[in-house]
Amino acid sequence: MAITQAKSTNKVIMEITGELAALLERIAKRKSTKLPEGRSKPYSTRLIVDDSGLALGRAALRYRFDKARDDAGIAKGEFQFRDLRAKAGTDKADSANDIREAQAQLGHSSVTTTEIYVRKKRGSKATPNR
């Protein structure tokens, strides 16, 4: 799947495999089985839809995110919607042990930019001598 980055317009080819592929499959199945009476296809081809099957707009998504964060008891200053991108970059760098993997996923042209996003909350990784 090709994704065009909003700011830089860089194109990133995102491989859809593993848990992501399974999740997208479950969403597609749910959307096709939960159709309103008399409807043969979903209202929207968008990935994220509301209970009626209509596309979920930016404001509605933001409202749901804020409500979930409040329900979890997390202060707004501790975790914001934009932090999801940094979290994804950090997880990718940690799992691959290579910041260049995160750079490719985030679509950055420079590793320096990726270093701003990747968080070092876990500390350095080290192995024992023996």
Side-chain angles (χ1 to χ4, degrees), residues 118-129:
V118 173
R119 311 276 163 76
K120 301 286 186 205
K121 291 188 175 182
R122 293 185 188 137
S124 302
K125 291 182 181 179
T127 57
N129 291 337

Side-chain angles (χ1 to χ4, degrees), residues 13-115:
I13 305 298
M14 187 66 66
E15 202 173 318
I16 310 290
T17 60
E19 291 180 43
L20 177 60
L23 172 66
L24 294 176
E25 212 172 284
R26 284 196 321 268
I27 290 171
K29 185 177 180 182
R30 185 182 69 222
K31 284 176 69 174
S32 65
T33 58
K34 286 189 144 189
L35 296 174
E37 195 172 319
R39 189 100 181 129
S40 62
K41 61 181 181 176
Y43 287 112
S44 175
T45 57
R46 297 277 180 94
L47 177 64
I48 301 172
V49 297
D50 63 14
D51 293 337
S52 303
L54 299 173
L56 198 63
R58 185 177 287 178
L61 182 61
R62 173 48 151 244
Y63 170 78
R64 285 166 172 78
F65 177 85
D66 289 345
K67 185 171 179 349
R69 183 188 55 220
D70 292 344
D71 290 350
I74 299 171
K76 186 176 183 176
E78 288 182 42
F79 190 71
Q80 298 177 28
F81 193 77
R82 64 182 180 186
D83 293 328
L84 294 173
R85 182 170 165 83
K87 170 92 169 90
T90 301
D91 289 350
K92 186 63 168 182
D94 284 349
S95 68
N97 282 333
D98 185 2
I99 196 165
R100 287 178 191 83
E101 291 282 332
Q103 176 189 0
Q105 180 178 340
L106 296 172
H108 294 154
S109 55
S110 165
V111 173
T112 307
T113 305
T114 307
E115 288 172 342

